[in-house]
Amino acid sequence: MNELSKEKMKQEAIKRMKAMAIIDETIAQFSQSDLVSFSRNGGNFWLTDKMKHLVSEFEEDYQGIVYYAILSNTSIGQMLSVFYVSEDTSTWSDDWQELKDGYQFVYVFNLDNPMFSEFGTIAFQPVFGGLVRTA
């Protein structure tokens, strides 16, 4: 992906973060320093080294940029749901409609059982300046 498209995707990600009511400090860290945060129970934390590695591989494989994630504990493992902007701008209007309705198409890493990682749609809601996965 070229730098122009990467910058365009980053600006789109910042707009989405604002629309999802993510706290300004977390948005600024992404905007100024490319720091991606994850939310656990609404609190925002920086990605661990393992998470950064997964995100980097995802971005390279799928030509998009990850801007936020939600960490959830489930009966089938710990899940990291990553929000991303695709290089394919034709999907952006659909992404916006979903965001307005409180759900989004994401990639979910199963951190305990990687073979069960997959794309899917999750529901979320803003809490304490972060996001919580609701379905």
Side-chain angles (χ1 to χ4, degrees):
M1 111 185 59
N2 66 47
E3 283 305 310
L4 181 61
S5 66
K6 185 173 182 181
E7 185 57 33
K8 186 177 178 182
M9 288 187 292
K10 185 174 180 178
Q11 293 308 313
E12 175 68 12
I14 292 165
K15 289 179 197 172
R16 293 181 190 189
M17 292 172 82
K18 289 177 180 178
M20 293 187 292
I22 294 171
I23 195 167
D24 289 341
E25 182 179 340
T26 298
I27 297 171
Q29 290 168 348
F30 175 77
S31 174
Q32 297 164 8
S33 304
D34 293 327
L35 290 173
V36 176
S37 296
F38 72 91
S39 178
R40 181 175 27 217
N41 301 321
N44 292 314
F45 304 89
W46 290 330
L47 297 179
T48 65
D49 287 340
K50 177 183 177 182
M51 291 173 183
K52 286 179 189 176
H53 178 72
L54 292 171
V55 163
S56 179
E57 285 185 347
F58 174 86
E59 289 178 335
E60 188 175 309
D61 290 347
Y62 296 103
Q63 301 301 301
I65 62 165
V66 171
Y67 59 92
Y68 196 72
I70 300 173
L71 184 65
S72 310
N73 292 316
T74 73
S75 61
I76 59 169
Q78 195 171 48
M79 305 292 190
L80 184 68
S81 305
V82 295
F83 291 75
Y84 67 96
V85 175
S86 170
E87 190 174 49
D88 180 2
T89 59
S90 70
T91 64
W92 292 8
S93 62
D94 290 339
D95 291 343
W96 272 101
Q97 186 56 52
E98 290 176 354
L99 279 176
K100 291 175 186 173
D101 293 337
Y103 62 97
Q104 186 73 96
F105 187 73
V106 299
Y107 189 80
V108 181
F109 289 101
N110 184 319
L111 300 177
D112 296 320
N113 298 298
M115 65 185 284
F116 295 117
S117 299
E118 64 184 354
F119 285 98
T121 300
I122 66 165
F124 65 89
Q125 64 183 30
V127 175
F128 306 128
L131 299 177
V132 174
R133 183 175 169 176
T134 58

